[in-house]
Amino acid sequence: MNLLFIIMAPLFGALLPLLFKRTPRAVQTLITLAVPLSCIAVLLNYAPATFAGDVPKQFVEWLPALGLNFALRLDGLSLLFVSLILGIGVLIIGYAHYYLSSDDDEGRFYACLLLFMASMLGIVMADNILLMWAFWELTSISSFLLIGYWFHSSDARRGARMALATTGAGGLALLAGLLLIGNIAGSYQFDAVLAAADTIKNHDYYATALVLVLLGAFTKSAQFPFQFWLPHAMAAPTPVSAYLHSATMVKAGIFLLARFHPVLGGTEMWLTIVTVVGLITMLVGAYFALLKHDLKGLLAFSTVSHLGLICMLLGIGTEGAIVAALFHIINHACFKAALFMTAGIIDHESGTRDMRKLQGLMGLMPLTATLAMVVAASMAGIPPFNGFMSKELFLVQAVQQHLFGGLSWFVPILATVGAALSVAYSIRFIHDVFFNGDYKELPKKPHDPPRMMSAPVAILAIMCIAIGLAPMTMVSGILDVAASSVTNASTTVKLSLWHGFNLPLLMSFVAVVAGILIYAARDQLFTFNRQFDGLDAKHNFERIVQRISDRAAQLFDRLDTGSLQRYVAFVLISVIVIMLPSLIDLSAITGGKPQQPIDVVSMVGAIVLIAAAFATATLHRNRFVMLMMLSVVGLMVSLAFAHFSAPDLAMTQLVVEVVSIILMILALFFMPQKTARASSGHRVFRDIIIASFIGGIVATLNFAILTSPAESISDFFIANAKTGGGGTNVVNIILVDFRGFDTLGEITVLAIAAAGIHKLLNKLKPFMPSSDVDGRPWHRIKHPLMLTNVANLVLPMAMMVAVYIFLRGHNLPGGGFIAGLIAASAMILQYIANGVDWVKGRFNVNYQSLMSIGVMIAALTGLGSWLFSKPFLTSWFTYLKWPVVGKWEFATALLFDLGVFLTVIGATMMILSNFGKMTTRHRPTYEGN
């Protein structure tokens, strides 16, 4: 197994819960659990090397021209985060099995969760900063699906939109920052970026790059002033909240700060921005956490506060601060995941999360209460739990920093205030729910959940205790390698529960006492905060979005006159104004290449082409005649390709023209055969003038290009077609090999477009004309005998031609695209000659499935090269000896071309057959046109 497995297993494993959707829920859970557990097994295989100081890597060339490669690394920082993502993920999956109701779609939930897990693993393991950004955006998309899992809830939909809009905008800023960094460093590989750290810090664009990267980190990790989205993501199911808040999503921004600390950190700008933002976020989050009545709301704002604490430590940036930040990442993951799952248990067993309704649950839920007290004490920083130790390290750094000169004294004071608020809301979580008087009647009679539902919370509570009592045994090793990755220097961590009587210990004691007093005086805080009840981040966000939409609609109404002619005229006039001045002097743009003499064939072809184009424009009112003239234009273009030695293009143009004309004839059946005069004389004159200028500009540009010497890449393709692609048809080799990625994208777009057209046509029932323009009814014989016989005769021959064109395409003119259109044309002829019912009875193929299979074959052919450690879509060829055929060349590009072939047939037939079916359904008709 290699590092790629750790990411690909959950990425493709997300399909497993959907495939086993109809199996019992326990089976779905076990199948889902197998994915992260297998990743943990692979991780354990690589962990010893990382602990030894090595950095396991894997490199798969992907898009080298763009600097984007599938490069992975497992250094200490990656190991820490991968361990949290997979470890917490396993617990969340087991917990979700008991949390989700029988009405919830467990398969869809697990699929989204695994997709999210894969995207987070991609972020923390990426060794290419562009690859990291790709997975960064995937977290935004997958978290949108998770937060909006209960899509029937308005709050869930709004929370998901808010999260996607905020983190998505931050992602765009991050992309800009990463592009700047990569441009400065000369590479997007992280090692090269790390080596260029001094160059980046001294560059003129450093400040811009830093701000853009910090915007990405702050929006993702809900730092001030972007903290508003995170509490509203609480509309998600509690397992999602537990996972997002403890080990994933919001920790992505923290990971980004840690990863880029050696590249961007250490400057005065970094220290000031990151430290101040972290400090403000810590205080704002802690204050609002105390005021929330919803259990998950309290925990959400506490997450904001603790993320601010970690951000502040990364801003301070000393070795001790880095260790404290990484240590608190571990501790926060333990107690926050446990607390969210506890909140979910309370909600699950009592029917509410409102602390104003919850009290006296200690006697009814003793196990839940005990576990909650352990992890809440850890969150409050009470010894001997792990949260106390990282809080102490935080206070030590607050005391020792001198970032703001004479004003540095306010940092430890505000740090103590934040710690006191943490104690206060932790007490409230426990006291208001499990004590605070006798039990009140609730929607459901509370009781402890099944033991297996409490097991994940118990495991994390034990971790809180074990790390607090034996930190060197539990986490010193991983902190050593993680801190070394961040500081870019060898780091040895020393942790102990007791540091003696010192100022940080006094600050902790003050924080505990102050926290108790703040909790006792919480009613005054509630009273003070009531004056701001009308201010709600979700409503403000919706109001801003609505205001932007309204302004955009107003601008659109001003620009949108409803006249297509005016739109086109505006665009073309703009082109004329911009291009004409530079093209007036023809001698200045005429190149030095000699001009070819005009031959008779070219002259006749040009005259016919111009005449057909002129007839198309002048006879546009008679649509059928216009269409025939347009087909002449297409035919002449095809002949021009053939005349100038481009047989592949000629064949493609010819079959495309056939298919297009059939499509347009089908469309004309539902449209008036003639149109009334719609343009006045002066408008026609205006259009002629504009068209003449545009035609002149295009002709002049063509002339300039054709006469100018230019370096062509065609020599490269000609020289490498045989050796690199195994064929002599350079055009086909380009399509399926050199530019195979483009072709894969094109057939994917074709499939999507065909599926969209299919859906549009599927429910469309237009009126069908029952007679021609003169009132003559259609002939009662729908399927003429001669056409039927000819079609039946043509079909097998056309299929043989299609197969021949397909097989020879690698060395002679042809290929999957042309062959697919030939086969589709033959099938369309069957529909026209014999009707839909006759064809379906003999060839009942699901064209949507055929098209999907084609895209999958093409994509899997590209992925197959990864099995041999080759770049995506790398082709391979050899020569085989067949008994009858003899020596025959086989290339994997043929499989890719097969995908193109099937996609073209499926997409073309799905569009045209559905269009044709509209003429056979029973629907209202009307006479004439």
Side-chain angles (χ1 to χ4, degrees):
M1 293 295 183
N2 52 31
L3 290 177
L4 195 61
F5 178 86
I6 298 177
I7 296 176
M8 291 301 166
L11 186 63
F12 290 100
L15 298 173
L16 293 176
L18 299 177
L19 294 175
F20 291 89
K21 203 171 184 179
R22 299 186 182 278
T23 60
R25 290 167 62 96
V27 174
Q28 294 182 47
T29 303
L30 290 174
I31 291 172
T32 307
L33 279 171
V35 175
L37 288 174
S38 62
C39 295
I40 291 174
V42 176
L43 181 67
L44 293 175
N45 183 50
Y46 282 97
T50 303
F51 283 121
D54 296 332
V55 181
K57 294 184 179 181
Q58 184 170 357
F59 182 89
V60 178
E61 197 172 61
W62 189 8
L63 297 173
L66 299 179
L68 174 58
N69 297 300
F70 216 100
L72 304 176
R73 67 190 287 129
L74 191 67
D75 59 5
L77 184 64
S78 298
L79 179 62
L80 187 152
F81 275 89
V82 171
S83 301
L84 290 177
I85 293 166
L86 292 176
I88 300 293
V90 168
L91 299 178
I92 294 297
I93 292 170
Y95 173 82
H97 173 70
Y98 294 94
Y99 178 85
L100 296 175
S101 72
S102 57
D103 296 330
D104 291 325
D105 188 344
E106 194 167 11
R108 179 167 62 88
F109 177 84
Y110 286 147
C112 294
L113 192 69
L114 288 177
L115 178 63
F116 180 70
M117 181 185 292
S119 61
M120 277 300 305
L121 290 169
I123 289 176
V124 302
M125 293 180 65
D127 197 23
N128 181 288
I129 59 177
L130 290 183
L131 180 67
M132 182 191 71
W133 179 83
F135 281 111
W136 183 279
E137 289 304 283
L138 187 57
T139 60
S140 296
I141 296 171
S142 52
S143 64
F144 171 82
L145 298 175
L146 284 171
I147 295 169
Y149 173 76
W150 283 329
F151 53 83
H152 56 272
S153 168
S154 174
D155 288 340
R157 296 194 302 270
R158 290 182 178 181
R161 285 199 304 267
M162 185 185 295
L164 181 63
T166 307
T167 59
L172 294 177
L174 175 62
L175 175 60
L178 295 179
L179 291 175
L180 282 176
I181 291 172
N183 186 57
I184 297 170
S187 173
Y188 296 107
Q189 292 298 117
F190 185 73
D191 286 336
V193 172
L194 185 62
D198 292 335
T199 304
I200 294 171
K201 293 176 185 177
N202 294 321
H203 200 275
D204 293 339
Y205 289 145
Y206 166 75
T208 304
L210 175 62
V211 170
L212 290 171
V213 171
L214 291 181
L215 281 173
F218 290 165
T219 51
K220 190 72 97 177
S221 286
Q223 297 298 290
F224 182 85
F226 306 107
Q227 80 286 350
F228 57 85
W229 72 265
L230 186 57
H232 295 286
M234 293 303 95
T238 298
V240 174
S241 303
Y243 200 37
L244 262 64
H245 283 250
S246 61
T248 60
M249 188 63 172
V250 294
K251 292 289 176 64
I254 297 299
F255 170 83
L256 184 69
L257 294 176
R259 176 61 85 202
F260 279 88
H261 182 271
V263 178
L264 301 174
T267 64
E268 184 177 349
M269 189 175 182
W270 168 282
L271 296 174
T272 303
I273 295 177
V274 179
T275 304
V276 171
V277 168
L279 183 59
I280 294 173
T281 305
M282 179 186 68
L283 294 172
V284 170
Y287 174 76
F288 284 105
L290 180 61
L291 299 175
K292 290 297 172 182
H293 300 297
D294 179 15
L295 281 174
K296 286 177 66 175
L298 183 152
L299 294 176
F301 274 107
S302 74
T303 297
V304 172
S305 179
H306 283 272
L307 292 174
L309 183 154
I310 298 170
C311 181
M312 177 182 166
L313 287 169
L314 292 172
I316 294 173
T318 62
E319 182 179 299
I322 297 298
V323 172
L326 296 174
F327 190 26
H328 198 67
I329 288 172
I330 298 173
N331 296 336
H332 179 261
C334 291
F335 64 68
K336 189 52 61 72
L339 283 167
F340 265 106
M341 285 190 276
T342 301
I345 289 171
I346 295 169
D347 184 23
H348 191 270
E349 304 303 334
S350 68
T352 183
R353 299 195 310 256
D354 192 336
M355 287 184 285
R356 292 168 296 187
K357 301 177 181 178
L358 295 166
Q359 64 182 54
L361 298 186
M362 179 66 185
L364 299 172
M365 307 177 72
L367 176 61
T368 304
T370 303
L371 295 175
M373 284 187 279
V374 171
V375 290
S378 178
M379 180 170 68
I382 305 299
F385 305 107
N386 59 345
F388 168 76
M389 299 183 64
S390 53
K391 185 192 70 174
E392 287 292 288
L393 294 177
F394 162 67
L395 294 176
V396 168
Q397 295 303 314
V399 171
Q400 292 180 353
Q401 57 77 38
H402 300 287
L403 301 177
F404 305 104
L407 295 176
S408 297
W409 55 268
F410 77 87
V411 175
I413 292 177
L414 294 179
T416 306
V417 173
L421 290 170
S422 177
V423 172
Y425 62 67
S426 299
I427 294 174
R428 187 178 181 215
F429 184 92
I430 298 299
H431 185 263
D432 283 18
V433 175
F434 298 106
F435 302 99
N436 199 32
D438 296 330
Y439 160 73
K440 291 182 180 179
E441 193 67 28
L442 293 172
K444 295 194 291 186
K445 183 66 180 292
H447 56 80
D448 276 324
R451 294 301 171 90
M452 293 305 296
M453 189 175 184
S454 296
V457 182
I459 292 172
L460 293 171
I462 292 171
M463 289 290 294
C464 291
I465 298 172
I467 294 174
L469 296 177
M472 292 299 291
T473 302
M474 297 295 294
V475 295
S476 63
I478 197 167
L479 284 178
D480 283 342
V481 293
S484 298
S485 299
V486 178
T487 60
N488 204 24
S490 179
T491 303
T492 302
V493 175
K494 293 183 179 179
L495 301 171
S496 61
L497 183 62
W498 176 251
H499 292 86
F501 293 100
N502 52 26
L503 182 56
L505 182 64
L506 176 62
M507 294 165 67
S508 289
F509 177 76
V510 171
V512 172
V513 174
I516 296 172
L517 295 176
I518 291 172
Y519 174 72
R522 64 190 182 282
D523 289 339
Q524 284 78 10
L525 289 176
F526 292 152
T527 302
F528 171 77
N529 198 63
R530 286 193 188 100
Q531 62 184 311
F532 306 110
D533 283 347
L535 301 177
D536 182 83
K538 180 169 60 179
H539 294 155
N540 291 338
F541 176 82
E542 295 286 343
R543 192 179 300 115
I544 292 172
V545 171
Q546 187 61 48
R547 190 172 299 168
I548 294 173
S549 298
D550 292 341
R551 296 293 181 270
Q554 292 174 6
L555 178 62
F556 181 77
D557 289 339
R558 292 182 180 181
L559 298 177
D560 181 22
T561 60
S563 172
L564 181 60
Q565 280 187 322
R566 291 182 182 178
Y567 303 153
V568 175
F570 176 78
V571 173
L572 296 181
I573 291 172
S574 300
V575 171
I576 293 171
V577 171
I578 295 171
M579 298 294 298
L580 194 60
S582 59
L583 299 178
I584 291 178
D585 187 2
L586 190 61
S587 60
I589 62 174
T590 302
K593 291 180 66 175
Q595 301 176 28
Q596 296 181 357
I598 301 176
D599 59 278
V600 177
V601 175
S602 299
M603 177 62 71
V604 172
I607 292 173
V608 174
L609 185 63
I610 293 171
F614 184 77
T616 302
T618 55
L619 301 175
H620 70 278
R621 291 181 58 212
N622 191 324
R623 287 177 169 164
F624 184 77
V625 175
M626 176 201 69
L627 190 57
M628 293 300 100
M629 293 297 101
L630 187 61
S631 68
V632 174
V633 174
L635 177 62
M636 294 309 300
V637 171
S638 178
L639 293 175
F641 285 139
H643 179 63
F644 291 107
S645 303
D648 279 278
L649 294 178
M651 293 171 63
T652 304
Q653 171 65 27
L654 188 60
V655 289
V656 167
E657 191 68 26
V658 170
V659 172
S660 301
I661 292 298
I662 292 173
L663 175 63
M664 285 186 278
I665 288 176
L666 287 171
L668 285 184
F669 180 75
F670 300 101
M671 300 174 66
Q673 296 183 25
K674 289 186 178 181
T675 57
R677 184 181 298 276
S679 300
S680 59
H682 73 276
R683 178 174 291 184
V684 171
F685 179 75
R686 180 205 67 181
D687 293 345
I688 292 175
I689 296 298
I690 294 175
S692 300
F693 271 106
I694 291 297
I697 289 174
V698 173
T700 305
L701 288 174
N702 282 330
F703 178 77
I705 293 172
L706 292 174
T707 58
S708 299
E711 292 185 8
S712 173
I713 61 172
S714 58
D715 292 337
F716 168 81
F717 292 127
I718 294 172
N720 291 275
K722 183 65 177 178
T723 57
T728 56
N729 182 4
V730 180
V731 174
N732 184 261
I733 299 298
I734 292 173
L735 291 175
V736 300
D737 193 329
F738 293 123
R739 302 301 296 270
F741 196 81
D742 291 351
T743 305
L744 178 61
E746 288 163 3
I747 64 172
T748 303
V749 171
L750 176 64
I752 294 172
I757 294 171
H758 168 71
K759 290 297 182 183
L760 290 173
L761 295 178
N762 201 33
K763 300 295 183 181
L764 187 63
K765 292 186 177 182
F767 285 101
M768 287 179 14
S770 59
S771 62
D772 64 10
V773 67
D774 297 320
R776 290 171 295 195
W778 306 125
H779 200 282
R780 59 186 179 84
I781 300 177
K782 296 182 178 179
H783 309 297
L785 181 62
M786 182 173 294
L787 180 60
T788 300
N789 290 331
V790 170
N792 294 340
L793 186 64
V794 166
L795 179 63
M797 293 190 295
M799 289 301 176
M800 288 181 62
V801 171
V803 172
Y804 172 69
I805 291 294
F806 169 73
L807 291 176
R808 81 172 200 164
H810 214 52
N811 293 290
L812 294 170
F817 188 81
I818 300 173
L821 287 174
I822 293 173
S825 300
M827 288 302 303
I828 292 166
L829 183 59
Q830 287 294 319
Y831 277 98
I832 295 174
N834 296 297
V836 174
D837 296 333
W838 188 92
V839 175
K840 286 188 68 175
R842 291 160 178 79
F843 190 71
N844 191 15
V845 175
N846 187 324
Y847 296 121
Q848 198 166 0
S849 299
L850 186 66
M851 178 181 66
S852 303
I853 291 171
V855 176
M856 288 179 63
I857 290 175
L860 291 174
T861 303
L863 292 174
S865 58
W866 286 359
L867 299 176
F868 303 94
S869 300
K870 297 293 183 180
F872 182 67
L873 276 174
T874 300
S875 65
W876 170 85
F877 66 93
T878 188
Y879 292 91
L880 305 174
K881 269 198 170 183
W882 286 25
V884 179
V885 179
K887 188 178 180 181
W888 186 72
E889 180 189 5
F890 174 77
T892 55
L894 188 67
L895 297 176
F896 182 84
D897 220 9
L898 176 63
V900 176
F901 176 72
L902 295 178
T903 304
V904 170
I905 293 177
T908 306
M909 293 305 301
M910 189 163 66
I911 295 172
L912 292 177
S913 64
N914 277 278
F915 215 138
K917 287 176 187 177
M918 291 176 15
T919 65
T920 63
R921 294 172 183 170
H922 296 287
R923 64 192 69 233
T925 61
Y926 63 99
E927 297 295 328
N929 283 285

